[in-house]
Amino acid sequence: MTAAPEVLAELQGLRVRVPHLTGAMVASTDGLVIAHLVTGTEPDGLAALTAAALGVGARLSDAVGHGGFRELVVSGEVGYVATYAAGAASVLTLLASADANVGRLNLEARRTGARIAELVDGALERQRQT
């Protein structure tokens, strides 16, 4: 995908702005890695799990009448895994330590997700037109 370098730059900026962020990844909604800053975890496996979580989150939100999927935050014993909608074709997944400020994480992730949506959806649209 031609947007991958720009998406990676967005992830790098996010890492600078969010203290305690330990990893970041953008994947397609069907579980393929677009860009990542993840160490200690297999990016392809994380992308596949993200796609599965996206599916469950979307179905749950729809089942209770709360509309389309926007975000899912999982709090574990030693940190957070947060997944955010990033346009029609991609999702942003962040890993953060337990010391992370979840409000800051959410704020920055939503902003970054909107920029990533523009990049990825725009690249897909350009591919369709050629």
Side-chain angles (χ1 to χ4, degrees), residues 6-106:
E6 292 88 356
V7 171
L8 185 58
E10 289 293 336
L11 294 181
Q12 290 166 333
L14 185 61
R15 182 172 258 175
V16 169
R17 292 187 307 275
V18 179
H20 307 291
L21 189 67
T22 60
M25 181 187 66
V26 174
S28 65
T29 55
D30 57 356
L32 300 175
V33 176
I34 295 172
H36 74 88
L37 295 174
V38 177
T39 57
T41 300
E42 175 58 38
D44 292 328
L46 182 59
L49 288 169
T50 295
L54 172 65
V56 170
R59 289 188 67 199
L60 179 60
S61 183
D62 185 54
V64 297
H66 287 185
F69 176 84
R70 292 181 60 188
E71 58 197 52
L72 173 68
V73 178
V74 176
S75 175
E77 290 179 4
V78 295
Y80 299 93
V81 179
T83 299
Y84 303 85
S90 61
V91 291
L92 169 65
T93 295
L94 303 178
L95 309 175
S97 69
D99 297 333
N101 178 325
V102 178
R104 175 80 181 266
L105 181 77
N106 285 332

